[in-house]
Amino acid sequence: MAVTDLETGHSKDPADGSGAAAPSDLETTNDKVQEVQGLDEGAESIFSLTVKLPHEPHKIQLTVSSQEQVHELRQSIIELPDTFQYSCFHLEHKGQRINDFIQLSEVKDLTSDSEIQLVEDPYTEKEARIHVVRVRELIGAAGDRTDTLQGILSGLSLHDSVVESGDEPDEPTNKALDTIPVGDYDFDSHGRLSTLLPRIQAVAPKTIKAISVSPWNPPPYHLRQKGHLLYLQILTNEGEQHQITAHVSGFYVNKSSNVKFDPYPRAAPKAHSAHSLLTLLSELSSSFHATFNRLQDFNNHKEPLSTFQITNATPANPWIVPAASSPICTHQADITRTQESYLISGVENTETLRDWNEEFQSTRELPKDTAQDRVFRERLTSKLFADYNDAAARGAVLVARGEVAPLNPTEAKDAQIFVYNNVFFSFGADGVGTFASEGGDEAARVATGKDVLGVRMVNQLDIDGLFTPGTVVVDYLGKRIVGQSIVPGIFKQRDAGENQIDYGAVDGKEVVAADEKFIPVFRKLSKALKVQRHAVWDKSGKRYELEGSVETKGLLGTDGRKYVLDLYRVTPLDIAWMEENGTAIDSPETINGALKTTYPHRMTVLRPELIEAYWKVKMRQWVDGELKKRRDVGNVTGDTPERSASNGEQEVQETDPSKPQGDASVRKEAELDKERIDISDFDFALNPDAFSGQQPQTEAEKHDLASDEKEVRLAAEYLRSSVIPDLLRDLKEGDVGFPMDGQSLSRLLHKRGINIRYLGKLAALADGKRLEALHTLAIQEMISRAFKHVAGSYLRYLPIPFTGACIAHLLNCLLGTALNPSPSADIEESLCDLYPEITPSFKNVNPESLRLEIENQVTTRYRYTLSQSWHASIKHLQLFREVSLRLGLQLESKEYDFTGESVATSTDSSSPTNGGQMTSSKKKKKVRDGSPASLTGTTGSGPVTFIADDILNIVPVIKEASPKSALAEEALEAGRISILQGQKKLGQELLLESLSLHEQIYGILHPEVARVYNTLSMLYYQLEEKEAAVELAKKAVIVSERTLGVDSAETLLSYLNLGLFGHANGDTRLALTYIRHALNLWKVIYGPNHPDSITTINNAAVMLQHLKVYHDSRVWFEASLNICENVFGKQSINAATLLFQLAQALALDQDSKGAVNRMRESYNIFLTELGANDKNTKEAENWLEQLTQNAVSIAKHAKTVQERRVRAGIRIAPRVTLGQTHPQPQVGQTAEAASGRDPRNAMGLDSRSIDELLKFIEGSEQKSKPKKRTSHNPRRRGGSTVGTKV
């Protein structure tokens, strides 16, 4: 029975900060636990297995699980250093060959005492090719790759560089600071681009000079018959060249030379052969064995996660990369680079062609009855989506670059379609007029993005019998390209009278199809999406009842499957926005009015998250109404709770507290049932076709449609009247983590159900100091998005060789006007001669015209008017980053001059230090004066900030539709709830199971795995499992860097948590290194003085106190106070709390006079804001009195600091625990959710003496650390930000 929590209504969303779960959550917990524990069915056991090898060391021991599959055991074998040489083999047990695709538990008579035999197999051509590729990777012979999809340093991790930078501080002027990673930190310096670059590593040992496919390859026909597979050519470090034959039996040295072909074995003593190429190399080169061992040692010094290949996710591409001449990116000669596609795919290249659609749908049809079935199915699904996204993105890039021939070359460019690698491609533009009445190209572009979102939702719902095509949208060089798997029958010519579509609109909305076969599956879909069954009418006025939007189409494929297409309108239109901006059907100025004030399109739908939130509001209203009815009925009939429950239905029970209850258990049951009600009768859904121009025919139909439209209008008003004000209030009061950049702001808005088009409204409403950061971010985001649209219009039809000059010129007009107010485009005239049909219109752009275009875009898209001087107040580095990420740019790291004064915002890309370390002023001066990196480019109009050569690469920006793993999420949620219920052991088991499921299903390197690492590290930190918390946080950092970006907001927060947990685990110096790197990232992402950096700087100050560096700690407390006063005001409770903390720090630093003054300021604020009777005020008064009394004696006696502290006997602050750090909440997450505390607990006071505090700071009393606290004060940023988040 469906139930809901009537009193608390806590969301299950982990980021909303709710500490408790609703009864419905708790009821389903046992089901989740049982299903997750079902993974253990089959009595999984861990045991040691012996594997006998044909060569040294002849035997190895492996620890395996009985549920492990044999192919996983094979993978474990080939990854061990002693067994690197094996790749073509099978396993035997008691002389019987073992199938690679069964579980070890299914191998007959296999026990922990058993031995498995590794038997080398004869090679096939494919196995030989794979073996060569593998050996090249192992011995470090594979050079750098120029990939069409993944850019420069894709999947980069900086973690190792950050750790190394902490070990090597920059030229300290004070020896006492040598061991303090933050000793010379400059709070006011600008962000430096070198923060985003790795350190230059030592060159890896070279094991061999070259290994490649021989010019004699492939074997002629008669030798193929004899078992010849490949011919290779090897050049050893000793300078000897060898020609190698790959034979079915293995590899041997042949008699061929560069001019003579003789692929037969050499005679003794020069005869060498081996089953493995790795073994043969060690025989041919005397130095190979030693250099190969050195290479292994070199690789082992790296964090393994930072070197693993990313296979189940798209690697993050950094927007700032080293110069092409940097040792990090050196382009090396490697003949085999061009041969790799042959080695991987074969001569015919058929091995990579896959029927994507059939794979998607057959995977969806896999059984999901047991937990093991679900694990296998979801793991296959995750890998399939990753492979498809990669293939579709590669194809889209080739289409955009003109490398793929269209199927309809006579059509206009925007109407052309393509097929490449079994993926169907089209442009996200209105090439055939489908969206003419909705906004043309603009509407088509938005529709493709909404379609991906809709497909992802349907994939997540996983409705039996309903199928979706694989869908990817790629933005590249101003073009939007849609890649879809080919649905069987979509191109089939139907017979006369048959529609191309079986359900939904055909040919616009003039014809409607309603095949009854689609009703059951569409009904399930609509129920999940809160879509109402409703009437639509075709052009003749005929009425049809549809389960979904008329725009959502059903197609019966020739494979018999029911496909749902065009999911861009699964939610209703935002009628409030449309009426306000002239795009509603009955607006006086429609979209065809061509007015500049009109919004560009009519595809302004509400977000699914908003519909979900509004559904909860309506459900609560319905429940309240039901309760009122039942109270009224109870008052009239006088039914007792027992009588009202006797009818067999789950009902709300009301008990009169004034009447004695007969039994305690009855009373308890009545109280429990008071919170429950049957919601199966609650029915709420919205009509997605309201306000879309439907024409009802009868009065009853008009009345029904008007009723639907009224509900849709209320939903749109709910967004404006409740959701947006609630978000602003949360950010203003400091109750949630603050966004740092455009991406984190967008995610926060989407999570709350707010469309990006409301950025202008947010900017207008974000007034006052507390929301100044939001105001700045919103304007920056609007400008960057406007610039993206402007740049896209110039890039869309521009030949590739012009793109660098175009982007550089546009960036100069946006960001480089301080250096050159009138930049000119630097175009090679020879290129213009090659493309006579192209007129590069971007060369006519100047700063004034670009600003005007941006202002028009912002006005049109966000209904916001930028100030006349907006271009003078932008944050150059941050806007530079935003537009680079939006366009997929990869630029050379150098000192870009945004001010005309060569402000050092970056360093030379060849600098050996990671950006986590500051350089001395002398070093900076040298860079400015003489480094090539400091030289600005020049064009005909003089020096410019950007030149075409700065744009090293452009990568595609990908939107994809892969679903999350429901099973892994359920295990995580079950673990969370178990811990909340006090079942710590069960909770930890479930959390570990969830982690295992995430890693199994997604692979280790995946954004979802990074997030679960981060979540679990926080939970383990709260459970006092500090070592586990540090290990998980480190993994979270590396996986976030590699899959989300080295400078993403999530990566930054992961670094902050890693520092926090490292400090708690006793490694404070390394923790400060992490904190420093995070703060430097913050300067690049946002700039200085972010509201949440108050927390981080306070944490660092506490860590410095732990190291007994009291003066530096005081400096960091003062820096935190400065930001707090700037954000919240000098008379805020936040400032009072920080003054309180600073006074304590001053007392520890022997500045008794300063301590008294700061404490007096704190006391005065508390007194003014909270009153004399507040506990905070009283504690501050107590501190002030004791500090004043002891100030004289402290000044008189020059005794040890410890003795003075003992005598002072001063007590600690009410809101702040000195010497205690606090977790950093995620963007949009509450402080309580981050720290794991229940906000309903009463605030406790900590009254330890200075002596006790010192012991705590020095770590001798960490085991007895008091619980963290909170308060109910609505103005509790002082307690929330500083006291709980600090």
Side-chain angles (χ1 to χ4, degrees):
M1 178 175 296
V3 293
T4 185
D5 181 355
L6 304 182
E7 293 187 346
T8 57
H10 289 304
S11 166
K12 289 167 59 178
D13 188 342
D16 73 350
S18 300
S24 56
D25 297 333
L26 303 182
E27 277 194 349
T28 57
T29 303
N30 291 335
D31 298 335
K32 291 180 181 178
V33 170
Q34 288 169 8
E35 176 154 21
V36 174
Q37 289 177 334
L39 292 166
D40 295 328
E41 292 174 3
E44 178 182 8
S45 59
I46 307 294
F47 59 95
S48 183
L49 194 65
T50 302
V51 181
K52 294 182 68 175
L53 307 172
H55 309 293
E56 288 187 357
H58 298 300
K59 276 188 181 181
I60 57 170
Q61 293 279 338
L62 288 174
T63 301
V64 296
S65 161
S66 59
Q67 293 188 356
E68 197 171 325
Q69 293 202 333
V70 176
H71 72 85
E72 294 173 324
L73 173 61
R74 281 179 55 100
Q75 190 64 30
S76 300
I77 291 172
I78 66 176
E79 288 176 354
L80 291 174
D82 289 334
T83 50
F84 275 155
Q85 70 264 38
Y86 302 108
S87 69
C88 184
F89 62 90
H90 70 269
L91 299 174
E92 292 183 357
H93 180 236
K94 294 184 178 180
Q96 298 295 314
R97 183 172 184 142
I98 303 173
N99 190 315
D100 286 346
F101 298 97
I102 63 172
Q103 288 188 0
L104 289 177
S105 58
E106 299 174 37
V107 179
K108 187 178 180 182
D109 300 331
L110 184 68
T111 66
S112 59
D113 300 327
S114 302
E115 287 189 348
I116 285 182
Q117 183 87 25
L118 185 151
V119 180
E120 294 175 332
D121 284 337
Y123 287 96
T124 62
E125 187 205 334
K126 179 180 178 180
E127 290 284 359
R129 288 189 279 105
I130 290 172
H131 185 78
V132 172
V133 171
R134 171 174 159 72
V135 169
R136 274 173 46 82
E137 295 285 352
L138 279 174
I139 65 176
D144 61 310
R145 294 181 176 88
T146 303
D147 197 290
T148 56
L149 174 63
Q150 297 164 9
I152 304 165
L153 295 183
S154 64
L156 171 68
S157 171
L158 298 178
H159 176 268
D160 290 349
S161 295
V162 171
V163 173
E164 290 174 20
S165 71
D167 297 334
E168 301 174 18
D170 293 337
E171 305 177 12
T173 56
N174 186 339
K175 289 186 178 180
L177 300 180
D178 281 3
T179 56
I180 305 172
V182 296
D184 58 345
Y185 187 79
D186 183 357
F187 292 98
D188 298 322
S189 65
H190 293 270
R192 301 166 67 239
L193 294 180
S194 59
T195 304
L196 310 181
L197 298 180
R199 292 165 65 88
I200 294 177
Q201 302 288 334
V203 178
K206 200 168 183 65
T207 57
I208 197 166
K209 286 187 177 178
I211 176 170
S212 61
V213 176
S214 167
W216 298 112
N217 198 67
Y221 297 105
H222 68 287
L223 292 175
R224 273 191 257 171
Q225 295 295 100
K226 294 180 179 292
H228 289 213
L229 306 173
L230 295 172
Y231 299 130
L232 306 175
Q233 190 170 280
I234 291 169
L235 184 62
T236 66
N237 282 347
E238 290 80 14
E240 298 177 354
Q241 188 184 76
H242 299 277
Q243 299 279 347
I244 307 292
T245 296
H247 189 263
V248 289
S249 62
F251 297 81
Y252 62 78
V253 180
N254 64 35
K255 299 177 185 176
S256 296
S257 68
N258 289 338
V259 294
K260 185 187 75 169
F261 178 61
D262 187 354
Y264 293 100
R266 283 184 173 240
K270 294 185 177 181
H272 294 281
S273 65
H275 188 268
S276 170
L277 181 59
L278 199 63
T279 307
L280 182 62
L281 289 174
S282 62
E283 292 180 11
L284 295 177
S285 172
S286 57
S287 64
F288 179 81
H289 186 71
T291 52
F292 184 61
N293 286 339
R294 287 208 307 273
L295 178 65
Q296 297 306 113
D297 293 338
F298 176 84
N299 290 335
N300 288 339
H301 280 95
K302 299 177 182 177
E303 187 68 35
L305 278 179
S306 64
T307 59
F308 290 162
Q309 186 176 359
I310 301 176
T311 57
N312 278 27
T314 303
N317 291 297
W319 64 279
I320 282 292
V321 292
S325 59
S326 167
I328 301 172
C329 301
T330 305
H331 191 56
Q332 301 166 344
D334 181 15
I335 186 83
T336 319
R337 189 162 41 225
T338 56
Q339 302 169 343
E340 274 194 337
S341 59
Y342 157 69
L343 287 171
I344 293 170
S345 307
V347 177
E348 306 297 333
N349 198 31
T350 55
E351 293 171 23
T352 57
L353 287 177
R354 298 164 65 174
D355 186 342
W356 295 110
N357 193 73
E358 183 57 34
E359 286 192 49
F360 273 121
Q361 315 320 337
S362 58
T363 302
R364 187 181 291 275
E365 290 170 335
L366 287 172
K368 50 183 176 180
D369 302 326
T370 68
Q372 287 293 345
D373 288 342
R374 291 181 67 187
V375 170
F376 179 75
R377 182 175 181 267
E378 291 185 358
R379 178 164 58 178
L380 201 60
T381 299
S382 175
K383 176 62 176 168
L384 177 58
F385 269 98
D387 290 349
Y388 175 75
N389 294 341
D390 183 86
R394 289 179 189 279
V397 169
L398 293 176
V399 167
R401 296 175 74 92
E403 307 283 351
V404 181
L407 299 181
N408 52 344
T410 58
E411 301 282 348
K413 277 192 176 182
D414 286 343
Q416 289 177 347
I417 55 176
F418 309 80
V419 172
Y420 181 81
N421 201 4
N422 280 345
V423 180
F424 171 70
F425 294 99
S426 58
F427 289 108
D430 192 24
V432 293
T434 305
F435 295 93
S437 62
E438 306 292 323
D441 287 348
E442 287 283 356
R445 189 178 185 283
V446 172
T448 56
K450 297 291 183 187
D451 186 40
V452 172
L453 178 63
V455 171
R456 185 188 301 132
M457 291 168 62
V458 176
N459 289 339
Q460 192 67 53
L461 292 170
D462 198 13
I463 296 168
D464 289 336
L466 188 63
F467 300 90
T468 57
T471 307
V472 167
V473 169
V474 175
D475 289 326
Y476 184 69
L477 295 175
K479 303 177 184 72
R480 171 159 284 192
I481 298 163
V482 185
Q484 294 177 302
S485 62
I486 302 173
V487 175
I490 196 167
F491 295 125
K492 178 185 175 184
Q493 291 297 322
R494 302 286 181 109
D495 296 335
E498 285 188 338
N499 294 321
Q500 285 293 112
I501 296 296
D502 297 294
Y503 197 83
V506 187
D507 298 329
K509 300 174 191 174
E510 295 185 351
V511 179
V512 177
D515 190 330
E516 292 183 356
K517 292 198 241 14
F518 281 84
I519 292 177
V521 289
F522 268 57
R523 182 171 293 157
K524 293 179 186 176
L525 175 63
S526 296
K527 184 176 180 181
L529 297 178
K530 316 293 187 294
V531 172
Q532 175 183 314
R533 177 181 173 87
H534 61 281
V536 296
W537 296 264
D538 63 13
K539 64 178 179 181
S540 63
K542 184 178 178 181
R543 173 187 169 122
Y544 296 86
E545 288 283 334
L546 293 184
E547 295 290 340
S549 167
V550 70
E551 303 282 4
T552 303
K553 301 172 179 61
L555 173 71
L556 188 62
T558 53
D559 56 1
R561 298 185 178 110
K562 300 180 185 72
Y563 291 89
V564 57
L565 309 172
D566 292 350
L567 287 157
Y568 50 81
R569 276 279 302 280
V570 294
T571 54
L573 294 167
D574 184 355
I575 186 60
W577 178 275
M578 296 173 75
E579 288 179 343
E580 184 179 53
N581 298 294
T583 56
I585 292 290
D586 56 355
S587 295
E589 307 98 10
T590 64
I591 191 66
N592 296 323
L595 295 176
K596 290 185 178 179
T597 55
T598 305
Y599 198 68
H601 58 82
R602 299 189 67 253
M603 301 298 297
T604 48
V605 296
L606 300 171
R607 287 196 64 83
E609 297 90 343
L610 179 81
I611 304 303
E612 186 69 25
Y614 187 59
W615 178 84
K616 290 176 181 177
V617 169
K618 297 296 287 186
M619 183 183 69
R620 183 169 300 282
Q621 292 174 357
W622 179 84
V623 166
D624 290 342
E626 290 295 302
L627 282 176
K628 186 175 185 303
K629 288 179 189 175
R630 297 190 180 200
R631 290 192 192 100
D632 294 342
V633 171
N635 290 337
V636 172
T637 64
D639 279 350
T640 63
E642 289 78 12
R643 286 174 60 192
S644 65
S646 64
N647 57 12
E649 295 181 2
Q650 178 71 39
E651 294 192 351
V652 173
Q653 295 191 18
E654 296 289 342
T655 56
D656 187 345
S658 65
K659 296 181 180 180
Q661 299 296 315
D663 185 81
S665 62
V666 173
R667 212 164 40 240
K668 183 177 180 181
E669 184 179 353
E671 290 174 0
L672 178 65
D673 285 347
K674 185 175 73 171
E675 298 183 2
R676 303 187 174 200
I677 193 168
D678 182 6
I679 62 166
S680 57
D681 294 332
F682 173 65
D683 183 27
F684 171 77
L686 295 173
N687 181 350
D689 291 320
F691 300 108
S692 66
Q694 290 296 321
Q695 299 292 329
Q697 303 298 305
T698 68
E699 288 302 317
E701 290 173 345
K702 291 177 182 178
H703 179 270
D704 290 343
L705 183 60
S707 176
D708 291 347
E709 290 180 343
K710 179 181 177 183
E711 202 60 67
V712 169
R713 187 181 297 278
L714 289 173
E717 289 300 327
Y718 172 70
L719 170 62
R720 292 166 173 245
S721 61
S722 297
V723 176
I724 293 176
D726 286 349
L727 174 64
L728 291 170
R729 185 180 63 251
D730 288 346
L731 291 172
K732 188 172 185 176
E733 294 178 357
D735 285 341
V736 298
F738 213 93
M740 304 177 194
D741 62 352
Q743 187 182 45
S744 57
L745 176 61
S746 300
R747 286 192 63 185
L748 176 60
L749 295 183
H750 287 165
K751 194 167 191 175
R752 296 290 186 107
I754 303 171
N755 305 83
I756 292 298
R757 61 179 174 270
Y758 282 96
L759 276 172
K761 190 171 287 292
L762 279 173
L765 295 173
D767 55 350
K769 269 287 186 184
R770 294 194 178 190
L771 292 177
E772 184 178 337
L774 177 64
H775 179 79
T776 304
L777 263 182
I779 289 178
Q780 179 176 284
E781 181 69 355
M782 287 188 284
I783 293 171
S784 68
R785 287 174 177 268
F787 180 82
K788 176 191 71 174
H789 287 290
V790 172
S793 66
Y794 290 112
L795 289 168
R796 189 163 299 133
Y797 304 113
L798 203 61
I800 299 297
F802 289 98
T803 54
C806 175
I807 293 168
H809 180 60
L810 294 177
L811 288 175
N812 281 326
C813 292
L814 178 68
L815 299 169
T817 53
L819 179 65
N820 186 338
S822 302
S824 63
D826 186 16
I827 304 174
E828 293 184 35
E829 292 301 325
S830 58
L831 286 178
C832 295
D833 296 337
L834 286 174
Y835 299 94
E837 74 281 4
I838 297 296
T839 303
S841 57
F842 68 88
K843 67 181 181 181
N844 299 322
V845 176
N846 57 50
E848 291 73 24
S849 67
L850 178 64
R851 287 170 197 159
L852 184 61
E853 284 189 84
I854 289 175
E855 288 166 9
N856 288 338
Q857 288 283 343
V858 170
T859 302
T860 304
R861 295 181 184 278
Y862 308 108
R863 326 313 288 175
Y864 185 82
T865 303
L866 295 171
S867 66
Q868 289 186 345
S869 60
W870 65 266
H871 51 87
S873 58
I874 58 175
K875 295 192 285 189
H876 291 82
L877 178 59
Q878 286 69 40
L879 184 57
F880 178 31
R881 173 180 177 271
E882 292 290 348
V883 298
S884 299
L885 291 174
R886 295 239 170 271
L887 292 170
L889 307 181
Q890 289 192 299
L891 296 107
E892 179 181 336
S893 175
K894 67 179 191 179
E895 192 170 340
Y896 293 104
D897 188 350
F898 297 122
T899 64
E901 300 173 0
S902 295
V903 174
T905 56
S906 62
T907 60
D908 187 1
S909 61
S910 62
S911 170
T913 60
N914 177 268
Q917 292 295 314
M918 303 292 289
T919 54
S920 67
S921 58
K922 287 184 178 179
K923 187 178 288 187
K924 286 181 185 176
K925 187 172 181 181
K926 286 179 183 176
V927 172
R928 285 196 298 270
D929 292 345
S931 167
S934 67
L935 301 177
T936 56
T938 56
T939 64
S941 61
V944 289
T945 305
F946 300 92
I947 58 174
D949 289 345
D950 293 336
I951 292 85
L952 300 181
N953 188 33
I954 303 172
V955 294
V957 179
I958 303 167
K959 295 181 179 180
E960 44 87 21
S962 51
K964 292 183 181 180
S965 163
L967 183 61
E969 292 293 325
E970 286 169 13
L972 181 61
E973 185 66 16
R976 271 204 196 101
I977 294 174
S978 298
I979 289 174
L980 286 171
Q981 292 175 325
Q983 303 177 59
K984 181 177 176 181
K985 185 176 179 182
L986 174 62
Q988 285 184 290
E989 288 176 0
L990 289 168
L991 292 177
L992 285 174
E993 190 62 57
S994 167
L995 177 59
S996 172
L997 288 170
H998 274 85
E999 291 178 337
Q1000 282 184 66
I1001 290 167
Y1002 294 116
I1004 296 177
L1005 296 171
H1006 192 280
E1008 289 303 317
V1009 178
R1011 290 173 185 128
V1012 82
Y1013 281 148
N1014 192 61
T1015 300
L1016 291 184
S1017 68
M1018 188 71 74
L1019 288 169
Y1020 274 98
Y1021 173 71
Q1022 293 157 12
L1023 294 170
E1024 299 294 326
E1025 300 279 353
K1026 294 172 184 172
E1027 289 187 11
V1030 169
E1031 190 60 34
L1032 288 166
K1034 184 188 294 184
K1035 289 182 176 182
V1037 161
I1038 297 172
V1039 180
S1040 291
E1041 285 184 321
R1042 301 198 65 197
T1043 60
L1044 297 169
V1046 292
D1047 60 342
S1048 75
E1050 290 182 65
T1051 298
L1052 187 154
L1053 291 170
S1054 295
Y1055 264 113
L1056 293 178
N1057 284 336
L1058 178 55
L1060 175 66
F1061 305 156
H1063 165 67
N1065 200 37
D1067 196 347
T1068 302
R1069 297 181 195 283
L1070 182 58
L1072 286 169
T1073 300
Y1074 291 135
I1075 295 289
R1076 177 171 190 151
H1077 178 67
L1079 287 170
N1080 282 329
L1081 282 179
W1082 229 324
K1083 287 182 179 178
V1084 174
I1085 296 172
Y1086 173 83
N1089 302 337
H1090 187 273
D1092 284 355
S1093 64
I1094 300 169
T1095 304
T1096 303
I1097 295 172
N1098 256 39
N1099 281 345
V1102 171
M1103 294 177 191
L1104 288 168
Q1105 282 184 336
H1106 182 81
L1107 295 176
K1108 304 180 187 178
V1109 189
Y1110 298 120
H1111 182 72
D1112 282 69
S1113 172
R1114 160 189 178 167
V1115 171
W1116 282 69
F1117 276 126
E1118 288 171 342
S1120 177
L1121 176 64
N1122 288 338
I1123 299 173
C1124 180
E1125 290 180 340
N1126 184 50
V1127 174
F1128 297 104
K1130 293 190 175 183
Q1131 297 302 310
S1132 64
I1133 298 176
N1134 307 65
T1137 310
L1138 279 175
L1139 285 165
F1140 202 116
Q1141 237 182 340
L1142 178 57
Q1144 297 164 344
L1146 292 171
L1148 293 176
D1149 195 31
Q1150 306 178 39
D1151 186 353
S1152 56
K1153 182 179 179 182
V1156 170
N1157 291 336
R1158 290 300 195 180
M1159 189 55 68
R1160 183 177 291 111
E1161 292 178 48
S1162 175
Y1163 168 73
N1164 289 335
I1165 296 172
F1166 280 137
L1167 182 64
T1168 304
E1169 296 293 326
L1170 302 177
N1173 295 324
D1174 188 84
K1175 292 180 180 179
N1176 300 331
T1177 310
K1178 290 181 178 179
E1179 284 296 326
E1181 186 178 21
N1182 183 37
W1183 264 87
L1184 183 58
E1185 289 173 1
Q1186 295 189 58
L1187 277 172
T1188 305
Q1189 291 168 7
N1190 287 280
V1192 177
S1193 58
I1194 289 173
K1196 285 181 179 178
H1197 301 285
K1199 295 184 179 181
T1200 64
V1201 177
Q1202 183 71 7
E1203 289 173 336
R1204 284 200 300 275
R1205 289 175 189 138
V1206 171
R1207 186 173 61 252
I1210 304 171
R1211 296 178 180 272
I1212 187 61
R1215 290 172 170 265
V1216 181
T1217 309
L1218 187 63
Q1220 186 170 319
T1221 54
H1222 301 273
Q1224 190 85 31
Q1226 296 287 327
V1227 173
Q1229 184 187 43
T1230 62
E1232 286 79 11
S1235 59
R1237 293 166 304 125
D1238 187 341
R1240 294 167 293 183
N1241 289 342
M1243 181 180 68
L1245 297 181
D1246 185 347
S1247 56
R1248 295 172 294 172
S1249 67
I1250 285 283
D1251 183 40
E1252 292 167 331
L1253 291 175
L1254 269 179
K1255 287 182 181 179
F1256 178 87
I1257 290 168
E1258 292 164 5
S1260 58
E1261 288 188 1
Q1262 286 192 3
K1263 291 183 180 178
S1264 60
K1265 181 166 66 177
K1267 294 181 179 177
K1268 307 181 187 83
R1269 307 176 307 283
T1270 188
S1271 76
H1272 286 297
N1273 190 333
R1275 298 174 298 173
R1276 53 185 284 285
R1277 180 73 189 205
S1280 172
T1281 305
V1282 183
T1284 64
K1285 289 169 63 181
V1286 174

